[in-house]
Amino acid sequence: MFSFRGCGRWVAASLTKQHPPSARLSGENAAPGTPRFDVVVVGGGHAGAEAAAAAARCGSRTLLLTHRADAIGQMSCNPSFGGIGKGHLMREVDALDGLCCRICDQSGVHYKVLNRRKGPAVWGLRAQIDRKLYKQNMQKEILNTPLLTVQEGAVEDLILTEPEPEHTGKCRVHGVVLVDGSTVFAESVILTTGTFLRGVMVIGLEMHPAGRLGDQPSIGLAQTLERLGFVVGRLKTGTPPRIAKESINFSILNKQTPDNPPTPFSFIHETVWIKPEDQLPCYLTHTNPRVDEIVLQNLHLNSHVKETTRGPRYCPSIESKVLRFPNRLHQVWLEPEGLDSGLIYPQGLSVTLPAELQEKMITCIRGLEKAKMVQPGYGVQYDYLDPRQITPSLETHLVQRLFFAGQINGTTGYEEAAAQGVIAGINASLRVRRQPPFIISRTEGYIGVLIDDLTTLGTNEPYRMFTSRAEFRLSLRPDNADSRLTFRGYKEAGCVSQQRYERASWMKSSLEEGISVLKSIEFSSSKWKKLIPEASISVSKSLPLRALDVLKYEEVDMEVLAKAIPEPLKKYTECRELAKRLKIEDWGCE
Amino acid sequence: MWRGLWTLVTRAAHGPRSPRSCMRQASGAPAPGSGATIFALSSGQGRCGIAVIRTSGPASGHALRSLTAPRDVPPPRSACLRLLSDPRTGEPLDRALVLWFPGPQSFTGEDCAEFHVHGGPAVVSGVLQALGSVPGLRPAEAGEFTRRAFAHGKLSLTEVEGLADLIHAETEAQRRQALRQLDGELGHLCRSWAETLTKALAHVEAYIDFGEDDNLEEGVLERADSEVRELEVALGAHLRDARRGQRLRSGAHVVVAGPPNAGKSSLVNLLSRKPVSIVSPEPGTTRDVLETPVDLAGFPALLSDTAGLREGVGPVEQEGVRRARERLEQADLILAVLDASDLASPYSCNFLDTVVTPAGAQSPNGSSQRLLLVLNKSDLLLPGGPEPSPDVPPHLLLSCLTGEGLDGLLEALRKELAEVCGDPATGPPLLTRARHQHHLQSCLDALGLYKQAKDLALAAEALRVARGHLTRLTGGGGTEEILDLIFRDFCVGK
């Protein structure tokens, strides 16, 4: 598989507006000129981009179909990636050579690892991202992926054919029909339609059919899926208004500074693109009783809040926070949208009041007294398909070779979408090659937890990842995602580059070697005390201590050990990541 | 004979499935028991007055109608007399009481039917074969009714175990214990502990997943800490009680001991109402330990007859004496027997000094070794004669020969055994299974690790392990419960 990449034989993907390159097509059983691909991905959001790139990495000729090619990689809600649980998912996507970590390392403006003091199993990598840069970098990556073609167009229907007798399912998907009536044949189809299935935008009492601000919803496709017998549910989500940066009085607000140095997301990056001192700060302010008042007095103008459709409990609108937890001050984080962006994203202020009331509410918040609202917040209601209708490989039970990934399965979040995208892309490709599916279990990764929860329990609210969902949290750490998944991805799916595979192999053998060396160094506790006076080693213990036991002390790390015993330990501190991982590997063991 | 019958019935059951069960399978809905209807003889096997045959599953109503045609299904939960006939031939089988329990108000939560037929093997096999011929019915596997009740949430795991004990309850006290457990009393207690623990864990988890950028209230971790401490105390207290419930299930060890020829074997035979031990006037007749399970005043007990304790005899009897002493150490209750007419003999004095007096004193480890002193052969005492020496500790007078004093002994035994086993009619629910004790102890151990943990993720892991042990007794324990609590208690998310 890997020889395909970088050998230059394949034409780099090209952006074609409804004119796919006919040179690649075979004419058998098809109308002349009908394009034919191994994998067609419908949707260019975070799930779609990862799915298309993963299928192409696995060696499938892949077509990414999207409403607007210039919206690929668009971050349509918050300007940040990662967090606790979500950061875990991203590291696993990266371990499978997915895109989001690498793009974040090239686009972040404020990197911060959360939960530093609560143990390495729950560290949460997070960054504020420059929206524009992310989109640019993602589009560059997608358009330069070998075997991957991008085409603009809205999908209206699926082409179905006889099922394969050796699999379950009542029919098999064989391609898609676009709104203009043209068709594309495909061996596998992945739907990553996000909030576009019968999407409706809500501000106040106004409702507009739309998938995202300024984009048309998919109605025909939703009808097709319902006709096929898929059980459809409805969910809602929302996004806050955007505020003009220069209209905010930051000087009276709490400032949150980023990490210095920033920790990169990707296993293959040593550093991120931005200079630590060039990073942007975030600011914290709070709601107050005046905000509660405006919300409560205007509930009759707010149809989104009254609807029975389930919204996320953990990403609540300001209305539901006020209703469920009255008389409290709620946090509002003011986050930059980008280096040269004039917009601020008020995280925590998701709202669907009529626009003029939104502005009124904003201006009674400290620091925002003179704030100018550039774009109102709005709610989105959309169809999702009960994810119990898909297998752990994300293929549907009903229609063979049809895969779902992202919000269509009832999840929320860029990271959850990206994680499903990678798995759907890999499996759509493996299915074409008639190879067994690539399934991650709950014991192997957060991706496994996510997909297992979805496919066995379903969900009735937008599903988001938390570390509390993982039973094996102590082993499923952000630091070791590569040792859990990279080798499987390389051998079973073929979705991992040679470079990454070699890096992960080196890391794995260095860790094993390091631990056996640490086991072999043994001194009396009094000698250790002399070597490392700053460690609280009890000298009353008569048994000799290994270097591995000493490393368990909170105040001891590999640097300290190597200073005390340069030979043979010094070489394990040359790679900072290796030194850190040795400490972590040793930390939780008894 | 029954084995042959089952193959017959099984074959009949492999007929076409009912349309309903086919539909369910096709839709892929994971219904517990996957829609099959099961039947079994629920009363004991063999010839008896009345035999009860039960069915459970969606085709129960159809089965009932097939066997009682042309009459309709009786009203729910009321006994009706019906003529049962074979649906294939119309041949009458028996006149029987039938009951109809439409789900979910039935033992298993599914539609159930009961046939109370006459207990002759021919009738029972006829009805079972007739049921096997009804489409969609198959013979139940062992324990399948209870499993379905569990799957439908009709019984918790502790209740299932309580039911198993009820079925096997040999004595009155065991039956009451089993009934109490079936009510879910232990389950209730464990559930309340599990709730406390789930809440503590939810708060720790909230602190991990949301503590960084959401404003949780102050003191979330401190509250979790104090809840864990309280739980440790409660569990510890309950576990100190633990051996009692186990004794009730498996029987208390009651050891009859005394000097040679005091009448120990006579007492064993009297209490067990059967000739367990050989009785002779010759000292040293009993040389080995003889055990017999008995019902003592409503409590199950394992009664051990032992060799008379004396020194300086032949090697075989000496070994018997060694075994007797060993058994005394393991005893839950010692029945010390002395010859009332021979209290001054060296054997009697020695026994009083080495066995009776030490047991009276509180042993240093606080373990309760109880002892009842019985002075046998009261018939040999002169009527109106002097009382046995006032130095003898509190005792009961008994004549194994005449049976005089037996009622007093039984009453004393009842009191002692109620202490040893725990009286199921009062007091906290007992831990009747080693499994319960194991999980509660493991839970307590894990709570200990919580306090020592080096970071919060490790501390949370200890709570998860602890909760896992509790929920193995109560069922439940998914992560959704934790998230529900987090979102109920905190305003989190941005």
Side-chain angles (χ1 to χ4, degrees):
Chain A
M1 284 311 111
F2 305 97
S3 54
F4 286 177
R5 311 184 69 208
C7 73
R9 208 151 52 84
W10 298 89
V11 188
S14 54
L15 175 60
T16 60
K17 295 210 171 181
Q18 311 194 356
H19 298 292
S22 50
R24 286 194 200 156
L25 311 174
S26 75
E28 50 164 51
N29 302 333
T34 300
R36 177 178 288 273
F37 287 89
D38 292 331
V39 175
V40 166
V41 179
V42 181
H46 300 282
E50 293 285 357
R57 285 201 303 281
C58 290
S60 292
R61 286 170 306 120
T62 306
L63 176 70
L64 175 58
L65 273 170
T66 171
H67 281 70
R68 278 168 40 209
D70 65 358
I72 291 173
Q74 177 156 325
M75 300 169 68
S76 41
C77 194
N78 54 321
S80 66
F81 252 94
I84 300 154
K86 287 168 170 282
H88 292 65
L89 281 173
M90 287 174 74
R91 291 284 279 181
E92 293 177 6
V93 168
D94 189 62
L96 295 170
D97 224 351
L99 313 177
C100 60
C101 282
R102 283 184 280 138
I103 309 290
C104 281
D105 287 344
Q106 299 160 17
S107 324
V109 294
H110 173 122
Y111 294 86
K112 191 168 184 66
V113 177
L114 306 177
N115 269 353
R116 268 287 185 209
R117 292 202 313 275
K118 295 178 197 161
V122 295
W123 287 348
L125 278 77
R126 195 182 65 183
Q128 301 302 323
I129 307 287
D130 184 309
R131 287 183 195 281
K132 208 171 73 188
L133 279 176
Y134 190 89
K135 202 152 113 174
Q136 276 172 9
N137 288 324
M138 179 58 92
Q139 288 178 12
K140 203 163 85 191
E141 176 79 25
I142 290 287
L143 295 177
N144 285 306
T145 301
L147 297 177
L148 177 56
T149 307
V150 176
Q151 182 184 327
E152 287 191 339
V155 171
E156 190 70 8
D157 205 351
L158 300 173
I159 304 172
L160 300 170
T161 179
E162 288 297 302
E164 296 162 288
E166 68 272 26
H167 291 277
T168 55
K170 63 180 183 185
C171 54
R172 171 161 68 95
V173 71
H174 195 48
V176 293
V177 181
L178 306 190
V179 173
D180 64 6
S182 63
T183 53
V184 178
F185 285 118
E187 298 297 316
S188 291
V189 172
I190 306 173
L191 296 187
T192 66
T193 50
T195 59
F196 279 66
L197 288 182
R198 294 205 191 96
V200 172
M201 273 181 48
V202 191
I203 304 181
L205 298 176
E206 292 173 49
M207 297 179 103
H208 308 280
R212 185 167 51 198
L213 197 62
D215 288 319
Q216 285 304 304
S218 307
I219 309 267
L221 194 55
Q223 284 166 349
T224 301
L225 293 172
E226 215 161 13
R227 209 173 50 236
L228 280 167
F230 284 102
V231 176
V232 179
R234 199 133 174 98
L235 292 174
K236 67 177 179 185
T237 185
T239 190
R242 307 300 143 87
I243 302 169
K245 192 175 186 172
E246 81 280 350
S247 66
I248 299 173
N249 181 8
F250 291 113
S251 62
I252 55 167
L253 299 178
N254 290 331
K255 185 171 172 179
Q256 188 200 43
T257 51
D259 288 345
N260 188 358
T263 307
F265 283 91
S266 176
F267 281 98
I268 57 171
H269 288 162
E270 305 272 336
T271 53
V272 299
W273 74 290
I274 197 170
K275 278 194 230 143
E277 61 274 19
D278 288 349
Q279 295 182 89
L280 301 177
C282 294
Y283 293 88
L284 178 63
T285 182
H286 288 91
T287 64
N288 53 47
R290 184 75 194 110
V291 171
D292 288 25
E293 221 178 283
I294 294 175
V295 167
L296 294 172
Q297 282 170 2
N298 295 290
L299 284 177
H300 60 287
L301 298 175
N302 206 331
S303 61
H304 194 61
V305 174
K306 283 180 287 181
E307 298 281 342
T308 50
T309 310
R310 290 290 295 264
R313 288 179 295 183
Y314 36 75
C315 189
S317 60
I318 190 68
E319 292 96 328
S320 43
K321 286 190 218 178
V322 168
L323 287 172
R324 291 187 49 228
F325 296 93
N327 306 320
R328 283 209 207 153
L329 305 184
H330 301 281
Q331 288 182 330
V332 178
W333 287 99
L334 300 177
E335 303 179 348
E337 295 237 327
L339 279 181
D340 56 1
S341 165
L343 294 184
I344 288 292
Y345 179 94
Q347 178 89 270
L349 217 54
S350 171
V351 61
T352 55
L353 283 169
E356 61 282 7
L357 285 168
Q358 291 188 23
E359 189 147 32
K360 192 172 155 200
M361 179 184 83
I362 289 169
T363 51
C364 60
I365 293 174
R366 186 173 148 81
L368 305 181
E369 293 84 354
K370 297 191 175 137
K372 232 180 98 240
M373 186 174 82
V374 178
Q375 178 196 308
Y378 61 91
V380 182
Q381 301 181 4
Y382 57 98
D383 279 1
Y384 78 108
L385 302 174
D386 185 339
R388 285 172 295 187
Q389 301 170 99
I390 55 179
T391 68
S393 72
L394 303 183
E395 183 175 356
T396 67
H397 288 294
L398 277 175
V399 181
Q400 296 174 355
R401 297 181 175 228
L402 179 65
F403 295 77
F404 294 159
Q407 275 171 302
I408 190 172
N409 288 333
T411 62
T412 175
Y414 308 146
E415 304 81 357
E416 287 82 355
Q420 294 170 68
V422 168
I423 298 302
I426 290 171
N427 281 307
S429 180
L430 288 173
R431 190 77 162 77
V432 175
R433 278 151 45 188
R434 298 185 180 279
Q435 286 177 353
F438 183 78
I439 290 161
I440 298 173
S441 83
R442 297 185 80 90
T443 65
E444 283 176 298
Y446 277 76
I447 297 182
V449 173
L450 169 80
I451 293 176
D452 187 58
D453 278 349
L454 290 175
T455 55
T456 59
L457 302 174
T459 186
N460 53 14
E461 65 177 334
Y463 181 103
R464 173 180 150 186
M465 185 48 70
F466 306 109
T467 69
S468 50
R469 295 194 193 270
E471 292 84 354
F472 305 97
R473 181 164 61 193
L474 293 185
S475 348
L476 308 184
R477 300 188 308 270
D479 64 274
N480 66 9
D482 60 342
S483 62
R484 289 183 273 124
L485 297 177
T486 299
F487 304 106
R488 280 197 63 200
Y490 180 80
K491 288 174 188 141
E492 296 170 39
C495 63
V496 173
S497 71
Q498 190 66 29
Q499 176 211 0
R500 182 184 291 271
Y501 174 74
E502 280 164 12
R503 161 110 188 153
S505 306
W506 175 83
M507 182 58 77
K508 185 169 179 243
S509 57
S510 303
L511 280 170
E512 283 165 2
E513 188 191 298
I515 284 175
S516 72
V517 168
L518 288 167
K519 275 184 184 161
S520 69
I521 300 171
E522 222 175 50
F523 297 125
S524 70
S525 49
S526 50
K527 172 146 189 212
W528 277 117
K529 188 78 201 169
K530 255 177 254 157
L531 282 169
I532 309 174
E534 64 265 42
S536 56
I537 297 166
S538 148
V539 284
S540 61
K541 281 183 190 156
S542 54
L543 289 172
L545 281 174
R546 301 170 305 172
L548 197 70
D549 305 319
V550 176
L551 186 57
K552 286 190 207 301
Y553 284 89
E554 217 162 334
E555 54 280 13
V556 178
D557 61 17
M558 281 306 288
E559 309 286 339
V560 171
L561 270 183
K563 218 159 71 193
I565 315 162
E567 207 42 55
L569 293 183
K570 189 152 186 304
K571 75 178 219 200
Y572 297 102
T573 59
E574 278 155 16
C575 169
R576 235 178 56 205
E577 199 200 336
L578 174 62
K580 273 197 237 165
R581 283 179 70 168
L582 278 169
K583 170 81 184 166
I584 295 171
E585 284 293 332
D586 197 27
W587 177 248
C589 314
E590 286 312 317
Chain B
M1 145 188 173
W2 291 99
R3 200 163 291 153
L5 177 66
W6 279 117
T7 43
L8 247 179
V9 173
T10 316
R11 211 174 299 138
H14 283 292
R17 285 172 175 269
S18 79
R20 187 164 164 193
S21 72
C22 286
M23 240 169 59
R24 274 224 195 154
Q25 290 202 328
S27 76
S34 63
T37 299
I38 52 172
F39 66 91
L41 175 66
S42 296
S43 52
Q45 304 202 337
R47 199 178 298 274
C48 51
I50 300 285
V52 178
I53 294 164
R54 281 196 301 188
T55 73
S56 173
S60 288
H62 177 60
L64 187 53
R65 224 171 285 122
S66 303
L67 265 69
T68 58
R71 305 195 52 185
D72 209 343
V73 171
R77 291 175 294 283
S78 51
C80 292
L81 197 63
R82 290 280 192 276
L83 180 69
L84 302 186
S85 47
D86 193 320
R88 292 165 298 183
T89 59
E91 180 194 350
L93 296 167
D94 191 11
R95 190 170 288 280
L97 273 184
V98 297
L99 287 126
W100 167 234
F101 303 96
Q105 286 157 284
S106 68
F107 169 64
T108 59
E110 301 176 320
D111 290 353
C112 288
E114 279 187 15
F115 304 84
H116 296 221
V117 301
H118 292 101
V123 174
V124 172
S125 74
V127 174
L128 287 174
Q129 286 189 45
L131 282 172
S133 73
V134 177
L137 264 69
R138 65 166 172 81
E141 289 156 27
E144 205 175 354
F145 281 90
T146 311
R147 205 180 74 203
R148 288 187 175 202
F150 177 63
H152 287 98
K154 287 281 173 179
L155 295 170
S156 75
L157 203 50
T158 42
E159 287 172 328
V160 169
E161 287 175 349
L163 183 72
D165 284 356
L166 181 64
I167 291 165
H168 293 115
E170 283 168 18
T171 69
E172 182 64 16
Q174 271 179 329
R175 189 188 62 76
R176 266 182 292 165
Q177 165 79 38
L179 266 178
R180 268 162 63 93
Q181 195 175 357
L182 189 62
D183 289 342
E185 202 166 332
L186 182 64
H188 280 307
L189 197 56
C190 287
R191 264 195 294 278
S192 79
W193 289 333
E195 265 169 38
T196 308
L197 196 48
T198 302
K199 192 163 177 201
L201 179 58
H203 287 197
V204 173
E205 296 282 3
Y207 195 75
I208 289 175
D209 274 337
F210 304 102
E212 204 87 349
D213 13 80
D214 293 281
N215 43 344
L216 302 182
E217 308 96 272
E218 296 291 305
V220 169
L221 287 183
E222 288 74 7
R223 248 177 300 153
D225 284 351
S226 76
E227 272 167 333
V228 167
R229 265 197 306 277
E230 279 165 35
L231 190 62
E232 270 189 294
V233 172
L235 276 175
H238 201 86
L239 274 168
R240 278 193 289 282
D241 226 17
R243 271 277 299 154
R244 299 205 306 180
Q246 253 185 31
R247 282 191 198 114
L248 183 55
R249 279 193 78 253
S250 51
H253 284 273
V254 177
V255 176
V256 181
N261 217 19
K264 298 180 292 298
S265 298
S266 302
L267 180 57
V268 167
N269 290 348
L270 183 67
L271 289 174
S272 60
R273 296 183 209 96
K274 59 188 174 192
V276 174
S277 304
I278 299 171
V279 177
S280 84
E282 193 180 309
T285 306
T286 305
R287 293 186 168 184
D288 206 345
V289 176
L290 291 172
E291 288 182 340
T292 181
V294 293
D295 175 348
L296 281 184
F299 291 94
L302 193 66
L303 196 57
S304 305
D305 189 12
T306 60
L309 299 176
R310 62 172 170 179
E311 308 298 328
V313 284
V316 176
E317 196 180 338
Q318 206 52 56
E319 174 63 17
V321 170
R322 193 191 66 75
R323 290 186 185 188
R325 290 193 193 282
E326 192 178 87
R327 192 53 63 101
L328 271 179
E329 279 172 21
Q330 300 163 0
D332 293 319
L333 174 63
I334 298 169
L335 267 180
V337 184
L338 286 174
D339 184 340
S341 63
D342 189 31
L343 290 176
S345 77
Y347 287 146
S348 297
C349 292
N350 186 34
F351 182 75
L352 278 171
D353 290 347
T354 58
V355 178
V356 179
T357 317
Q362 182 66 32
S363 66
N365 58 11
S367 74
S368 56
Q369 200 175 41
R370 300 181 163 270
L371 183 141
L372 269 183
L373 181 57
V374 178
L375 301 187
N376 187 24
K377 308 190 190 178
S378 62
D379 50 298
L380 293 184
L381 297 175
L382 296 173
E387 281 288 306
S389 149
D391 302 340
V392 177
H395 57 267
L396 296 154
L397 279 175
L398 174 75
S399 166
C400 288
L401 193 69
T402 65
E404 198 183 339
L406 181 62
D407 287 348
L409 175 62
L410 284 178
E411 180 53 27
L413 274 171
R414 198 194 60 72
K415 277 191 195 145
E416 290 292 328
L417 287 172
E419 282 293 322
V420 171
C421 303
D423 189 341
T426 59
L430 302 160
L431 303 165
T432 49
R433 286 189 180 239
R435 194 174 80 83
H436 296 154
Q437 196 186 347
H438 166 74
H439 285 303
L440 292 182
Q441 185 62 51
S442 306
C443 175
L444 194 59
D445 294 347
L447 293 181
L449 291 178
Y450 169 76
K451 289 185 295 193
Q452 300 161 13
K454 285 200 286 189
D455 69 43
L456 199 59
L458 293 170
E461 188 65 21
L463 287 191
R464 288 171 166 209
V465 171
R467 178 167 175 259
H469 282 293
L470 274 188
T471 52
R472 249 164 269 172
L473 300 178
T474 59
T479 50
E480 257 332 287
E481 288 173 35
I482 304 261
L483 292 174
D484 287 344
L485 269 175
I486 293 178
F487 296 124
R488 196 196 65 200
D489 290 0
F490 304 111
C491 182
V492 291
K494 304 184 291 178

